[in-house]
Amino acid sequence: MRDRTSFIRSDLAHLEAYTSHSGGESPAIVDRLDTNESPLDLPADIKSKLAWIYQQEIEANRYPDGSHTELKNVIAEYSTESAGLADGLTGNCISVGNGSDELIRSILIATCLGGEGSILVATPTFSMYGILAKTLGIPVVTVSRNETDFALDLTAAQQAIEQTENPPIRVVFMVHPNSPTGNNLIEKELDWLRSLPDNVLVVIDEAYFEFSQTSVIGELAQRQNWVVLRTFSKAFRLAAHRVGYAIANPELIQVLEKVRLPYNLPSFSQIAAKLVLQQRQLLLPLVQEIIEERKRVYSALQKNSHIQVWRSDANFVYLRLKNISDDSQDEILAQIAASLKTEGTLIRHTGGGIRISIGTPEENNRTLERLEKRISLTTIDN
Ligand SMILES: *Cc1c(COP(=O)(O)O)cnc(C)c1O
């Protein structure tokens, strides 16, 4: 058959699209613990308020506010408050994206496109950095993490910075705490990031900040080559609305603003993000409950002699099976994830392990029960 897409860039043929749950699975799926969303929807009165604002204030025929001015100001205020900063951040330190995924792409466009740079990632980590880089033809350099605490291999990372040419590394992507492994950046990793030259941009993705309560934004004033990413998709329960933001010095923010689409964030998403920030006293207490549940799930998993589970500072836990070779580990974990799916539980098999989002107590109990049953069958089989 004739190739009907011969006009497409040849390197895209080998690229796999990001797969996530579609949201349209059969009703038999009850426990969606694979994408680290909040287990609870917005409270009904906040949803009503949102609907009311939509009816009263949004003209559907008009383009959204392309400057995001009000939203940026509220984000700046929240970020200042949450980090206990003395010097307040202002709206010109913020850029808003259609999810932080859009900001990751803007960063790549602004730094590496056209053969100007490569990126550095430490795996296992959030897969979108690599996926988005490849869609733009940007080379991805990968270093590993040690398997005790998932700190990155600093010797390899430094070597990569010094030795990567044609094109050199222009961006380092770090998640704080990392997904899927749940570990915060530790001091020696931060020291290494601080030591990087000015012509390397350091991206610190704090998607799970509300759970970890650790942030580097207090350092941004001294670090002109750092940018922090955050999102409304996790603790703020707005995954459906796709809102993320970047915090950095105003010069860098201006560049991100230059490369984004003019009306990248629908009006409804802008009002939703503003509203949840205004209502944060009501919404954020759930974070503490999820942390308590995470501790409970962690202890339960730790008691299982077949499971190795890691400490997590986020809203998920990461595990692998003990006493199983790396070769068969992935195959067995894939079977376990597939088997739980048939029972109605979604978990994520990624980076050589399994990542389980923390849900409601009922969801967590069901998932633990199904997982432990499946693992005992598997280990007996072997
Ligand atoms: C969930 C997540 C995001 C959020 O992406 P959005 O596009 O804002 O939904 C970004 N980075 C990491 C590491 C994540 O886990």
Side-chain angles (χ1 to χ4, degrees):
M1 209 168 75
R2 233 180 56 223
D3 180 3
R4 282 186 285 184
T5 55
S6 51
F7 41 81
I8 300 291
R9 256 169 50 202
S10 56
D11 58 324
L12 290 182
H14 309 288
L15 202 77
E16 272 187 49
Y18 179 83
T19 49
S20 61
H21 75 231
S22 58
E25 280 103 356
S26 77
I29 301 287
V30 279
D31 304 320
R32 295 164 196 274
L33 302 186
D34 62 335
T35 47
N36 300 342
E37 297 149 333
S38 173
L40 296 191
D41 195 348
L42 290 178
D45 53 346
I46 294 188
K47 270 192 154 173
S48 308
K49 181 114 202 266
L50 202 52
W52 188 86
I53 300 174
Y54 179 69
Q55 277 190 323
Q56 301 299 313
E57 294 179 14
I58 292 190
E59 298 171 285
N61 59 316
R62 300 292 174 195
Y63 282 110
D65 171 9
S67 73
H68 315 142
T69 306
E70 279 182 55
L71 177 56
K72 285 180 179 182
N73 290 338
V74 200
I75 290 173
E77 184 217 310
Y78 164 68
S79 305
T80 304
E81 177 200 280
S82 65
L85 297 183
D87 274 334
L89 290 163
T90 47
N92 62 354
C93 302
I94 311 287
S95 181
V96 188
N98 196 282
S100 34
D101 288 351
E102 186 196 8
L103 292 158
I104 294 166
R105 180 145 64 186
S106 292
I107 288 168
L108 292 167
I109 291 172
T111 53
C112 297
L113 201 64
E116 295 225 0
S118 307
I119 69 163
L120 182 73
V121 295
T123 51
T125 195
F126 188 48
S127 60
M128 286 308 291
Y129 311 128
I131 293 173
L132 291 172
K134 286 175 195 158
T135 64
L136 296 167
I138 294 168
V140 180
V141 178
T142 300
V143 293
S144 63
R145 296 169 179 271
N146 78 60
E147 311 234 313
T148 325
D149 60 1
F150 291 110
L152 71 150
D153 181 340
L154 289 176
T155 315
Q158 181 60 28
Q159 230 168 35
I161 296 283
E162 285 168 15
Q163 294 172 4
T164 307
E165 290 175 341
N166 304 318
I169 290 167
R170 284 280 165 263
V171 189
V172 174
F173 283 98
M174 287 297 178
V175 197
H176 182 49
N178 190 41
S179 175
T181 52
N183 52 307
N184 268 322
L185 287 168
I186 55 177
E187 208 47 37
K188 68 176 185 203
E189 295 174 299
L190 287 165
D191 277 338
W192 178 72
L193 294 169
R194 291 175 187 123
S195 78
L196 289 172
D198 289 346
N199 60 0
V200 174
L201 177 66
V202 174
V203 179
I204 303 200
D205 188 335
E206 296 185 354
Y208 301 96
F209 160 69
E210 283 79 12
F211 301 97
S212 72
Q213 286 299 318
T214 3
S215 175
V216 301
I217 67 174
E219 266 189 70
L220 286 178
Q222 294 130 263
R223 314 233 171 262
Q224 298 300 297
N225 60 331
W226 284 24
V227 54
V228 168
L229 297 182
R230 294 211 185 140
T231 178
F232 285 85
S233 300
K234 310 284 159 65
F236 278 108
R237 313 189 210 174
L238 281 192
H241 288 280
R242 311 296 303 119
V243 191
Y245 56 99
I247 316 172
N249 73 71
E251 288 79 0
L252 175 54
I253 290 297
Q254 256 172 27
V255 178
L256 297 182
E257 293 283 292
K258 225 188 267 190
V259 300
R260 71 169 168 83
L261 295 177
Y263 301 112
N264 60 335
L265 201 61
S267 305
F268 198 55
S269 292
Q270 295 192 39
I271 60 166
K274 267 184 285 182
L275 187 63
V276 297
L277 282 178
Q278 284 154 4
Q279 302 284 328
R280 60 184 180 270
Q281 311 305 2
L282 247 154
L283 294 170
L284 290 180
L286 178 64
V287 165
Q288 199 49 46
E289 288 176 42
I290 291 173
I291 292 172
E292 293 305 319
E293 275 297 292
R294 182 193 70 211
K295 291 180 185 162
R296 189 175 70 84
V297 169
Y298 172 84
S299 314
L301 292 169
Q302 214 187 17
K303 288 195 189 99
N304 186 310
S305 59
H306 302 296
I307 296 175
Q308 180 176 16
V309 57
W310 280 267
R311 260 188 47 86
S312 165
D313 287 296
N315 64 339
F316 53 82
V317 291
Y318 188 66
L319 61 91
R320 288 180 184 164
L321 297 178
K322 284 184 187 163
N323 307 320
I324 288 191
S325 72
D326 286 353
D327 289 342
S328 32
Q329 179 91 232
D330 263 325
E331 196 185 318
I332 295 174
L333 294 180
Q335 284 166 6
I336 291 173
S339 155
L340 261 65
K341 187 173 177 180
T342 64
E343 293 188 80
T345 297
L346 299 178
I347 55 179
R348 190 148 172 102
H349 171 215
T350 178
I354 280 184
R355 189 191 67 195
I356 306 177
S357 312
I358 301 300
T360 62
E362 296 72 30
E363 290 172 327
N364 300 334
N365 288 342
R366 235 179 347 248
T367 303
L368 282 170
E369 197 179 301
R370 287 172 175 173
L371 181 72
E372 297 198 319
K373 193 171 101 209
R374 184 63 228 176
I375 287 177
S376 73
L377 289 175
T378 307
T379 45
I380 292 164
D381 289 351
N382 279 269

